[in-house]
Amino acid sequence: MIITAGALAAIRTAFSAAFKKGLDQAESDYKQIAFTAPSTTKESTYGWLGKFPSMREWIGARVVQSISEHGYSIVNKDFEQTVGVDRNDIKDDNLGIYGTMFEEMGMSVKALPDQLVFGALANGFSRLCYDGQNFFDTDHPVIGEDGQIVSVSNMAAGANTPWFLLDVSRAIKPIIYQEREPFTFVSKDKQDDDNVFYNKEYVYGTDGRCNVGYGFWQMAFGSKQDLTAATYEAARAAIRGQKGDHGRPLGLGRKLLLVVPTNLEGKALEILNAERNAAGATNVWKGTAEMLVTSWLD
C-alpha cells in the first residue's frame, strides 16, 4: 500500500468504526446499581448526601433543607488506551489484526464503568462515604428520635465471600458513577507527527475522565456471612428498617437487588427462585428480590 493522506484517512475511519462496533456490542450492568452524575470540574462535591428528600406538612414558613452539611467529593481520574500501528504493517497491507484490537478497545471502554462501579461496591468495607465512615460499616452516625446520635449498621462481618443487597427503587442509586469527559477515539497519524517521523508508528487511542464514589449507605447492605435464607432475611430487614434523622422512616426495600459473584449464583438462585427450601417447606423468599450475578466481583 502506498501511504497517502487519503489512505490514512480510510484507515482511520476503519479503526474508528471498529472501535464503535466494540462499544455498541459490549454489555454493561453498572446502571443497575449506580446513577451517572455529570461533572464539569476537576472534582465534584456532593453536599446533599445525608439529606434524604422528604415531604413535610406546610405549617408556617417553608423549611429549607440545607445541602452543605457534607463535603464529600469525587475527584475525576484520567483513563486511556493506546495502540501503535507500525508503518510497515500499513505498507505491507497487514492491518487485519488491528481491526480486532480496536474493537476490543471499544469493548474495554464500555466495560470501564462496570469495573469501577463493582470495584467500589466490593471495596465498600474499607472506603469512606459521605459521613466519614466506610460505606459498609457498623457505626454510621444518625440523629435518633430523641436528638441524640446513634450508630447504625449496614453490614454483617464474617470470613465468607461478600455479597450485597441493594435498594434500587430510587432515581439515586447506592453508587455514583461520575462522568467528566466521555471517551472519544483520537489519532496521531499525520506524516509529520513525531511518533511517525521518529518511530515509524501511527498512534490511535481513546481517553476520557471519570470516577466513582458512594451515594446513600442506607440503600445498601454488605455481608461477609454465608449467603443463606437467614442472612438474606437479616439484610432485607436492615434495609427496610433504615431511618433518616429524627427517626423518619425512609421507605426503602420496595425493589431490592441481590448482587453476587459467580461462585454464589447457586445459593442466590436457591433463595430467590426455589419453590421450597431445604426442609421442604414453602420458600417464602421466592421472588422477593431480583438477582445480578457479575464476574466483576470474582
Side-chain angles (χ1 to χ4, degrees):
M1 177 187 295
I2 299 175
I3 299 178
T4 64
L8 291 173
I11 292 171
R12 185 188 315 121
T13 299
F15 288 166
S16 179
F19 172 77
K20 186 177 185 304
K21 180 181 178 182
L23 277 176
D24 292 341
Q25 70 182 15
E27 297 181 355
S28 61
D29 294 315
Y30 77 97
K31 291 183 179 180
Q32 294 190 55
I33 71 169
F35 75 98
T36 300
S39 175
T40 59
T41 56
K42 180 179 180 181
E43 65 180 286
S44 294
T45 301
Y46 297 82
W48 48 266
L49 286 173
K51 284 287 186 181
F52 252 108
S54 64
M55 298 300 296
R56 62 177 292 276
E57 184 179 1
W58 192 348
I59 300 176
R62 286 180 179 266
V63 175
V64 179
Q65 299 188 40
S66 171
I67 63 171
S68 60
E69 293 186 5
H70 298 280
Y72 183 69
S73 298
I74 300 175
V75 179
N76 291 302
K77 294 182 177 180
D78 292 281
F79 295 90
E80 65 84 24
Q81 187 177 163
T82 306
V83 172
V85 178
D86 189 275
R87 182 170 61 193
N88 290 343
D89 282 337
I90 296 178
K91 287 183 175 180
D92 298 338
D93 202 14
N94 185 31
L95 299 177
I97 188 61
Y98 289 106
T100 302
M101 292 177 64
F102 287 112
E103 189 173 328
E104 284 292 329
M105 178 187 288
M107 296 182 72
S108 67
V109 167
K110 189 69 171 288
L112 180 63
D114 280 322
Q115 181 181 345
L116 296 177
V117 166
F118 288 104
L121 187 68
N123 292 313
F125 297 97
S126 59
R127 292 184 182 176
L128 303 181
C129 65
Y130 70 85
D131 65 0
Q133 301 297 117
N134 291 328
F135 184 65
F136 295 116
D137 205 288
T138 59
D139 298 312
H140 289 289
V142 176
I143 302 174
E145 292 186 51
D146 59 0
Q148 301 298 310
I149 299 294
V150 296
S151 293
V152 178
S153 174
N154 71 330
M155 67 163 285
N160 293 283
T161 301
W163 53 273
F164 310 91
L165 189 64
L166 312 176
D167 182 293
V168 292
S169 63
R170 307 291 183 91
I172 298 172
K173 299 293 191 294
I175 307 296
I176 301 171
Y177 175 69
Q178 180 172 286
E179 185 177 63
R180 174 65 179 90
E181 295 180 13
F183 287 81
T184 56
F185 187 81
V186 295
S187 62
K188 284 181 66 65
D189 58 358
K190 295 180 180 179
Q191 293 287 57
D192 56 354
D193 282 338
D194 286 346
N195 48 285
V196 178
F197 182 79
Y198 288 107
N199 302 318
K200 66 180 183 64
E201 186 176 56
Y202 298 83
V203 176
Y204 306 86
T206 185
D207 62 84
R209 281 199 288 169
C210 60
N211 203 356
V212 294
Y214 298 104
F216 293 116
W217 57 264
Q218 297 91 333
M219 304 176 75
F221 190 92
S223 178
K224 292 184 178 180
Q225 295 181 343
D226 188 25
L227 177 56
T228 65
T231 56
Y232 169 75
E233 178 182 8
R236 281 179 56 88
I239 289 182
R240 294 170 71 89
Q242 291 290 6
K243 295 182 178 181
D245 289 339
H246 307 290
R248 178 175 59 83
L250 297 180
L252 299 174
R254 295 176 63 87
K255 183 180 180 182
L256 294 174
L257 181 68
L258 180 61
V259 185
V260 299
T262 56
N263 66 321
L264 292 182
E265 181 177 11
K267 291 185 175 183
L269 284 169
E270 185 177 356
I271 293 171
L272 298 180
N273 285 16
E275 295 290 343
R276 297 190 176 277
N277 60 25
T282 300
N283 177 21
V284 298
W285 304 118
K286 182 179 185 297
T288 55
E290 296 180 5
M291 183 178 70
L292 174 60
V293 181
T294 175
S295 58
W296 293 110
L297 293 177
D298 292 349

